Structures are given as C-alpha cells and as structure tokens.
Amino acid sequence: MVEYLSSEDAMLTIFATPKPFRGHIAVIQRNAIRSWTLLRPACEIILMGNDEGTAGIAAALGVRHVPDVARNTLGTPLVSDLFQQAQQLSVNNLFCYVNCDILLMSDFMQAIQRVVDHKRRFLLVGHRWNFDVKEALAFTPDWEEQLRSQVQKCATLAGASAIDFFVFPRDLLGEIPPFAIGRPVWDNWMLYRARALSVPLIDATPVVMAVHQNHDYSHHPHEGLWKGDELLANGKLAGGAAHAFSLFDATHVLTPQKLRRAYDLDHLFRRCETLPILYPWLPLRWFQKALDISRPLRSRFGLTVSSVLRIGSRGHNSQSRATPV
C-alpha cells in the first residue's frame, strides 16, 4: 500500500539564511525570495539570521524573520540550528531549505505534490541552472515564461555535487551535525544521510528548473570558500570524503511521465561503488576490487558516470560544471 502525505500535511515551509544585503547579492536575494512568495499553494517562508538587510526584506515581503541563529566561532550560521529551529517553529510537516540566490517557479510546487502523492519519506533535490542576473526582476505575469526562455538559451547546468535545495518531511534526517552553512561538504552529506537511512533520494532535475543567479564570492570572509578551518571542520563532521554524495546517488528520478527508480547504468555503477560505504558490515571487499579492476574496461566502452544531461536534458544548451553556493 502506497503511503502519502495528506493535503494538510503537505503545506510547505521554506527556510533560508540570507547573506548581507549588499550590492549585487542584495539584488539577487530579493529576486529569489520574491519568487518564493509567488509559489502556489502559498508557502510559509522563514528568513533566519540577523545579517544586514534580512529584517528589512522580511518586513517588506511579509515573511517570517528569526534573527537568532547559532553560529560557529567565525560567525557562520550552523546548518544544525537552521534545520532544528525551522521544524520547531512551524506547524507544517513539509520543509524546504533553499539557498537565497535560487529562483523557484511553479514547476517546483508541482514536483513536490507529485512526490507527496507517492511517498511519505523522501529527500527531494535537483541540479541548479547557473544564469547571469544583473538586475531586479519585474515579476510581470509572464515572468516565468521569459525566464525559462532565457535559461534555455544561456544557462549552464551545474555539476552533480552542487545541491541548492532540499525538500523533506518533518524529522526525516534526525540529528544534523553543526556544519558551517555555505561551505562545502554539508549539502553532499545530506544526500549520504538520506541513503544511509534508506530514505528515497529523488532527483527532480528533469521537471524542476531551479535557477541559480550567478555571483562572485567576495562575501566569503577569512581564508575563502575552498580552504580554511571551516572546510576542514565540515569534512570532519561529515565523516570524510566518502560521505560526500552527489545526485548520482539518487534512488529515484522524477520525470515528466512518472517517478521512476534510478536504474540506468550510471546510477547502478555508483550504487555498487557505495555499497561498502552504506553497508560496511557486509563482506564486500571482493566486490570493490572487481569494480576497481573493471574500471578501465568500463571507461573504454563508455560505461562511466556520464553527463547529468542524460538524466535531466530538456533540450537546453548546457554543460555540466560544479559551482559553489
């Protein structure tokens, strides 16, 4: 018997922690949050943190503001507190963490409803489309159609490790380590966590166009994004590089036709590679050796992890590349 969430349970709370509203970052964050307010059915939106401009945009758009967020010694908000507070403060049973530079459109809510109709437990994720947005969007009645057309012509699809939104039912993932938000590894650990808990990990890329508004990374203080103590701490909390999963670890893919199991060769080979990680108590050393020995032969015949476009292509002019948040 298929378990599903009732329409009442499926009310969505979106939560996020904006960066300081300065310069170009301010423009794209206003665009993103404004797009969330236009989603239907309407969502509860919680902006968390007290960085410059957050209280003002929350008041202007009529969304909830939670100023107090736990931070590490460098002042970076902690993922654990964001997820815990959002679930404590909301009466809804469905949640979405999303980065504040991501534009969401009507296909996002449609995808969630389709998944809810089939699954009670799931983690819904997807690739983002990297797109240059320099100015405030007008949000005219046809803004979605215009944006889709521009993205199809000019955007690129980010790599399989760049995860910018997570949709999940209440209490799905249990206790989350105190990762530094906006730094590498934590988002990939979330995918590992779902797989380790035998939670269906659903890739919605074929039906959800999540648009990442490109920006520079001058807002990152200290040593920068790809080095320093916060990166090392996140890696340690994740349990090492082996727990940095990607969208190739999805168990299901949401297509325009149906929610199907991810049983193509790319996903199956990746599934085999992660068996020792997810089931360390099983005697799988011989299996891992077989995979290592067969890798050159598989590469020769093209049986490798291919471009994500095999999964998510919809005729876009795109290329796969990984980009930080």
Side-chain angles (χ1 to χ4, degrees), residues 50-113:
N50 58 4
D51 284 309
E52 178 184 340
T54 299
I57 193 66
L61 295 180
V63 303
R64 192 170 184 177
H65 178 221
V66 177
D68 297 325
V69 175
R71 298 172 182 265
N72 64 18
T73 57
L74 296 177
T76 305
L78 300 181
V79 174
S80 52
D81 193 56
L82 296 173
F83 277 68
Q84 182 178 3
Q85 283 207 62
Q87 294 177 80
Q88 288 176 342
L89 293 169
S90 177
V91 298
N92 291 334
N93 287 314
L94 197 58
F95 295 85
C96 171
Y97 173 83
V98 61
N99 286 326
C100 272
D101 49 20
I102 299 295
L103 294 162
L104 298 175
M105 294 180 279
S106 57
D107 55 9
F108 180 70
M109 298 301 290
Q110 293 165 7
I112 292 174
Q113 187 57 61

Side-chain angles (χ1 to χ4, degrees), residues 60-293:
L61 295 180
V63 303
R64 192 170 184 177
H65 178 221
V66 177
D68 297 325
V69 175
R71 298 172 182 265
N72 64 18
T73 57
L74 296 177
T76 305
L78 300 181
V79 174
S80 52
D81 193 56
L82 296 173
F83 277 68
Q84 182 178 3
Q85 283 207 62
Q87 294 177 80
Q88 288 176 342
L89 293 169
S90 177
V91 298
N92 291 334
N93 287 314
L94 197 58
F95 295 85
C96 171
Y97 173 83
V98 61
N99 286 326
C100 272
D101 49 20
I102 299 295
L103 294 162
L104 298 175
M105 294 180 279
S106 57
D107 55 9
F108 180 70
M109 298 301 290
Q110 293 165 7
I112 292 174
Q113 187 57 61
R114 288 179 59 198
V115 172
V116 163
D117 287 343
H118 291 86
K119 298 288 184 182
R120 176 170 290 275
R121 300 170 70 246
F122 62 86
L123 182 64
L124 181 69
V125 291
H127 291 263
R128 73 189 192 203
W129 291 90
N130 293 327
F131 183 60
D132 289 333
V133 177
K134 302 298 185 183
E135 300 177 348
L137 299 180
F139 292 103
T140 57
D142 63 343
W143 76 272
E144 282 197 20
E145 289 76 11
Q146 291 187 24
L147 180 62
R148 289 181 189 282
S149 176
Q150 294 169 355
V151 169
Q152 289 170 354
K153 294 176 182 177
C154 305
T156 57
L157 195 65
S161 294
I163 317 298
D164 282 60
F165 67 86
F166 304 85
V167 181
F168 58 96
R170 178 183 292 277
D171 298 329
L172 178 78
L173 299 172
E175 185 175 354
I176 297 174
F179 294 112
I181 198 74
R183 307 306 190 261
V185 180
W186 81 267
D187 48 351
N188 307 110
W189 178 89
M190 297 284 282
L191 307 192
Y192 158 76
R193 178 65 169 171
R195 291 297 316 280
L197 294 174
S198 298
V199 169
L201 179 59
I202 302 174
D203 181 1
T205 304
V207 295
V208 172
M209 181 182 280
V211 181
H212 172 258
Q213 301 166 94
N214 293 330
H215 54 81
D216 63 30
Y217 295 90
S218 59
H219 58 277
H220 279 282
H222 318 303
E223 297 98 332
L225 183 69
W226 294 106
K227 60 182 180 179
D229 292 341
E230 289 182 310
L231 172 61
L232 294 175
N234 273 10
K236 184 176 181 180
L237 289 169
H243 293 171
F245 278 29
S246 77
L247 287 170
F248 288 115
D249 292 289
T251 61
H252 295 73
V253 177
L254 187 63
T255 73
Q257 293 76 32
K258 63 180 180 178
L259 176 63
R260 66 169 178 82
R261 291 190 176 274
Y263 277 165
D264 55 89
L265 285 176
D266 289 338
H267 286 91
L268 287 176
F269 278 127
R270 174 59 181 165
R271 200 80 50 86
C272 293
E273 290 176 344
T274 56
L275 281 174
I277 301 170
L278 295 172
Y279 309 102
W281 58 89
L282 294 179
L284 295 172
R285 290 185 178 180
W286 62 270
F287 190 74
Q288 187 63 50
K289 289 182 179 180
L291 283 175
D292 292 340
I293 293 172

